Amino acid sequence: MQAGFIQIWRDGWILAMMYGTIVTIAVGALSITFGAIIGTACGVLKWARVFPLTLVIDVYTSLVRGVPELLIIYLLFFSSVEFVTQVATAFGYAGLADSGYAFIIAVIAVSTISGAYSTEVVRGALASIPAGHIEAARALGISGGRIFRKIILPQMLRIAIPGMNNVWQTTIKDTALVSVVGLQELMRAAFVGSGSTRQPLIFFLLAAVVYLIITLVSQTGFDIAERALRLRSRK
C-alpha cells in the first residue's frame, strides 16, 4: 500500500483529489444555501397554510422525498441541459465548458433535493413554537412583521439548526451522485484515479477520509451555532 501511495503522489492524483474536494464543498455549500432559501420560503407558506401554494409545495416535497436522489439528478440533467445552454448564451457565455454546465446542473439538482427536506425542517420548527407566544404578542398589539422577526424567526432558527445539520450531511453525500453528469468532484476523481492506477482501495479510502473530515468540521460548526442561538434566546 505504501508503494501505491507513492505512485499516486508522483502521478499527481493527490492534486486531482484536492480539486475534487473543492468542487464537492462548493456544490454542497451552494446547494445547502439555495436549499435553505427554498426551504424557508416553502416551509413558511406550508406552515401558514397559504392555499393553493400549500398544495403545490406538498406535491414538490412528496415527489422529491419519494424518488431516489440519483433519479432526480438524471431527470434534471436531461431536462435542463438545453435550458442552461440557452440561459448561458443569453448572458454571453455560449462557450461555457462542459464542466461549467455540469456544475450548474449539479447545484440545481442538489438544491432541489435539499430544498424539499429543508421545507419540512422549517415547517416542523415553526409548528414547534408555542402558539401562546404569538397570541401574547398579538394581544400586546405588536405588528405581524415584528412578531415574525422578534419572536417567530429566532425560535425557528434555534429549533431548525439540528434538522438543517442533518440536511447538510445528506447534501454533502448527495454531491457524490453528481459524478454521473461528468462533474469532477471528489467521488469522480477517486473513481477515475482508481481505474487509471488500479489502486481502488487507496483512492476510496482517501475519499472516505475526506468526507469524514468535512462531516466532522461541519458538525462542529453547527454545534457552535446551536449553542450561540440557545444562549442568545436566554438573554
Side-chain angles (χ1 to χ4, degrees):
M1 183 173 287
Q2 183 177 0
F5 273 114
I6 294 174
Q7 178 189 355
I8 290 171
W9 178 267
R10 288 177 177 175
D11 293 345
W13 285 107
I14 296 299
L15 291 177
M17 294 286 285
M18 291 174 63
Y19 174 79
T21 301
I22 293 173
V23 173
T24 290
I25 294 173
V27 172
L30 288 173
S31 297
I32 193 66
T33 299
F34 292 134
I37 294 172
I38 295 171
T40 300
C42 292
V44 170
L45 290 172
K46 192 171 182 178
W47 171 69
R49 302 182 184 277
V50 180
F51 189 83
L53 293 178
T54 301
L55 181 61
V56 175
I57 294 169
D58 281 338
V59 172
Y60 160 59
T61 56
S62 297
L63 284 175
V64 172
R65 293 189 300 151
V67 175
E69 284 86 350
L70 183 59
L71 182 56
I72 293 173
I73 291 171
Y74 273 130
L75 290 172
L76 289 175
F77 175 71
F78 289 112
S79 65
S80 61
V81 170
E82 184 177 352
F83 172 73
V84 172
T85 302
Q86 292 174 351
V87 172
T89 302
F91 283 92
Y93 294 98
L96 190 66
D98 291 341
S99 60
Y101 288 125
F103 183 86
I104 293 172
I105 292 171
V107 171
I108 292 173
V110 181
S111 296
T112 301
I113 298 169
S114 176
Y117 287 96
S118 297
T119 296
E120 294 305 318
V121 170
V122 171
R123 184 204 59 79
L126 289 169
S128 299
I129 298 174
H133 293 185
I134 301 174
E135 293 171 359
R138 288 173 178 169
L140 292 173
I142 301 176
S143 65
R146 189 173 178 82
I147 290 174
F148 184 81
R149 292 193 308 272
K150 298 296 185 179
I151 298 175
I152 297 176
L153 186 60
Q155 293 188 70
M156 182 200 76
L157 290 175
R158 178 173 55 82
I159 298 170
I161 280 290
M164 290 305 297
N165 183 14
N166 291 333
V167 174
W168 162 251
Q169 306 300 346
T170 301
T171 297
I172 204 66
K173 287 185 287 187
D174 283 344
T175 60
L177 300 176
V178 300
S179 60
V180 298
V181 302
L183 186 65
Q184 297 296 319
E185 43 71 61
L186 177 58
M187 201 63 192
R188 178 72 176 176
F191 179 78
V192 174
S194 65
S196 178
T197 62
R198 297 184 180 180
Q199 298 284 351
L201 179 61
I202 294 176
F203 275 95
F204 292 131
L205 278 176
L206 286 173
V209 169
V210 173
Y211 279 117
L212 184 59
I213 291 173
I214 294 173
T215 299
L216 292 176
V217 172
S218 58
Q219 178 67 56
T220 301
F222 275 99
D223 289 342
I224 293 173
E226 187 175 356
R227 285 196 297 269
L229 288 172
R230 189 182 299 115
L231 289 174
R232 184 176 179 180
S233 66
R234 293 174 181 173
K235 294 181 180 180

